[in-house]
Amino acid sequence: MISLFGWLLVFHILASIAVIGPAFVVPFIRRSARTAGQLRFAFDVTNKLAILPKIGGAVLIITGVWLMIITKLGLSQMWLNISILLSLLMVATIEGLIGPRMKKIMEIVSISQSKGDELPAELGRLMRKIIPIETASQLLMIAITVLMVLKPF
């Protein structure tokens, strides 16, 4: 029989996959679009995937706190503190920097919808500007995952 700790750990890991998976893959889906129609389709897909990180994030926080209580770790482990800090930084990056820029890009795509299937030059420029921010967010996700798995310090 699996203990409460085991079930919490399973749900914690599944929640982390729900958060990290879409957030890691979505930029690649968007970048692969070559026409306005493909970009609209990519936005439709990514908007549908957006629910996973929201649900997963809530489950991740609840199970994470519960695991900290059960194991009596609290915030005594450096790897855990750094993981939490990086997670907050990642959320701030996605919600504060990427989100508003993506809304502007989506507006341009919807406006250009009536002008054919060619992507406006301004859109390409905006997409190129967002790539370093998305890459930083993906690197934060990798760092968080490494810290959570290896628990180096």
Side-chain angles (χ1 to χ4, degrees):
M1 177 132 172
I2 298 178
S3 66
L4 176 62
F5 175 83
W7 281 113
L8 286 173
L9 190 58
V10 166
F11 284 124
H12 191 70
I13 292 168
L14 290 174
S16 70
I17 292 168
V19 170
I20 291 173
F24 198 79
V25 172
V26 161
F28 294 112
I29 294 171
R30 279 195 307 261
R31 291 179 206 158
S32 67
R34 298 290 171 240
T35 65
Q38 289 176 349
L39 193 55
R40 280 190 296 279
F41 178 75
F43 281 138
D44 286 344
V45 169
T46 58
N47 283 338
K48 289 177 181 151
L49 286 174
I51 190 71
L52 288 175
K54 290 176 180 148
I55 294 169
V59 172
L60 194 63
I61 291 168
I62 291 166
T63 58
V65 169
W66 203 346
L67 285 166
M68 287 170 38
I69 292 168
I70 287 176
T71 60
K72 295 181 176 57
L73 279 179
L75 296 172
S76 65
Q77 301 291 309
M78 185 60 73
W79 65 268
L80 184 57
N81 295 330
I82 293 172
S83 296
I84 292 169
L85 180 66
L86 292 179
S87 297
L88 293 172
L89 183 60
M90 182 185 71
V91 168
T93 301
I94 291 170
E95 295 298 322
L97 298 175
I98 296 173
R101 287 170 173 80
M102 288 312 302
K103 285 181 183 173
K104 184 172 183 177
I105 290 170
M106 288 172 28
E107 286 174 12
I108 293 171
V109 169
S110 65
I111 291 169
S112 69
Q113 186 171 356
S114 61
K115 298 178 183 175
D117 216 28
E118 187 149 337
L119 292 173
E122 180 186 5
L123 191 61
R125 185 180 54 78
L126 289 172
M127 293 289 281
R128 282 190 298 281
K129 279 186 167 184
I130 205 169
I131 289 173
I133 303 168
E134 288 177 330
T135 302
S137 179
Q138 290 168 324
L139 291 172
L140 283 169
M141 287 181 237
I142 291 169
I144 293 163
T145 303
V146 168
L147 285 170
M148 290 290 183
V149 171
L150 297 180
K151 300 172 180 63
F153 39 81

